[in-house]
Amino acid sequence: MVLDDYGKKSDLPIHNFTPKKQNTFPPLYKKIVIGVTSIFILWYLFLSGGGEDRPVLQIPDELDKLKSSSHQLYKATKDGIVEIELKENSSAESESSAGGVKAEEKTPISEDELFKQTVSYYDLNDYRGTGDGLSQGDVVLFLMPLRNAESVLPMAFHNLMNLTYDHSLIDIAFLVSDCSPDDRTLETVFDYSVHLQNGTLVEKFQSEEELRKSKKFRGSSDLYQLYMDQDYINNVRKSYNNPESYHKDYSKPFRSVSIFRKDFGQMIGQGFSDRHAVKVQGIRRKLMGRARNWLTTNALKAEHSWVYWRDVDIETCPGTVIQDLMQHNYDVMVPNVWRPLPTFLGNEQPYDLNSWIESDPALELAKTLDEDDVIVEGYAEYPTWRVHLAYLRDARGNPNEVLDLDGVGGVSILAKAKIFRHGVHFPAFTFLNHAETEAFGKMAKEMGFTVGGLPHYTVWHIYEPSEDDLKEIAKMERKKRRKGGK
Ligand SMILES: *[C@@H]1O[C@H](CO)[C@@H](O)[C@H](O)[C@H]1NC(C)=O
Ligand SMILES: *[C@@H]1O[C@H](CO)[C@@H](O)[C@H](O)[C@H]1NC(C)=O
Ligand SMILES: *[C@@H]1O[C@H](CO)[C@@H](O)[C@H](O)[C@H]1NC(C)=O
């Protein structure tokens, strides 16, 4: 904390800022040259009347799409989904029913009343966030981007309910974007959110599970589990069967649930080879940055002290994760992210390589790149020799050990809301040769905020067997059966 010029407490990382002296007026001849040039340019643009070779300003299709594409905001209540209409000409939000909820009748109100309803006062010093936020009543904004995520949503909602941070202090906002036409992510989020707020989601999952069991043929889809570390599998089973045993407020409704729907346009396919070509990665990351920024700016309200970003495809995560990340009182804090693997592939592996400490070789490398190039980790093209948080994990290490970082991954980020208010965001352009979450970490650092990670505190990403892994498993099964047959 520093004292600014007016002696007030401020958490702005300002160090003796002195404005530069403006130059005095340019000499007369410069003024004339500038004047004449401007007139010529204006004439050329507007009056020369469409010469054949006049350059026409082209707006790329993608940008056009972004500008024109609409979005919707839905609120989930225990009684159903309410669509909030965002009227163009007034800032007033009006509700319309979509799922059985009647919008309230509007009655004429006096000017005094109108003033009271439309003028709000917040002292943002009250929402700065502290390490013991839970006891201070800090409100957390929980943000989750979703895309073709229908199949993993039950897992994500189990993880939500498992959070032991007081649910009545958490606002949830989902962003559903760019799903394929036959995908039902939006409908499923609606359905689960209504049950979540009604306190009946656990029962719903239980009846769905029974239905699934009664229908299912004996296990081809779960076969791979036999080839996983059994301690891990048992822990997963325990986490999802009778989950309420973890804490008494498992089914407690949250402060609010908002669901945004907006498409950003898909520039590239989702095929594996597409997704992983190094150049395409940069483009993809920028698009994801755009979506993240869109979600933060729409969902962040004055009363939020913290923002917690979470990916949908986390299988197990300690229910205390928000408090555990918060207690260090960093401006940005991430855990380690690993994923399990079949035993024949080594049981487990580091998953998120985007959390790292900057290195000299990487800084040298950046100097040789184009201004617009995006460095992505894990590619031979970009040998960065950085220290990755993921590789430092010791399963028996101290989960409270903190490491200062430069880049961060987006799987699970707890950040103070104030950093977004200061303008830190997820660059959708190349910032210091990075984009999205890695650039977010770098930008927070550049602006004087603290960025850290916990090397021995682990969140587990889901393992989905690849085609090759499934083939390998099938081969081993055949071998097993042949042996059994003898
Ligand atoms: C919004 O305002 C503009 C001009 O201010 C007007 O032309 C337009 O018709 C208005 N739209 C609606 C939906 O009221
Ligand atoms: C909400 O829960 C009550 C029981 O607690 C149940 O009767 C009702 O149907 C539920 N509402 C919805 C929309 O599921
Ligand atoms: C819920 O929290 C407990 C305790 O922290 C943890 O052991 C369990 O794996 C969590 N469940 C999920 C689904 O992550």
Side-chain angles (χ1 to χ4, degrees), residues 330 332-333 355-358 387 389 392 401-408 445 450-455:
Y330 266 53
V332 178
M333 183 57 81
S355 297
W356 38 255
I357 302 171
E358 190 51 288
V387 173
L389 184 72
L392 295 181
E401 191 180 316
V402 178
L403 191 72
D404 283 352
L405 297 178
D406 293 287
V408 297
K445 240 349 202 326
T450 49
V451 180
L454 307 175

Side-chain angles (χ1 to χ4, degrees), residues 87-90:
K87 288 233 172 91
E88 266 190 24
N89 284 6
S90 75

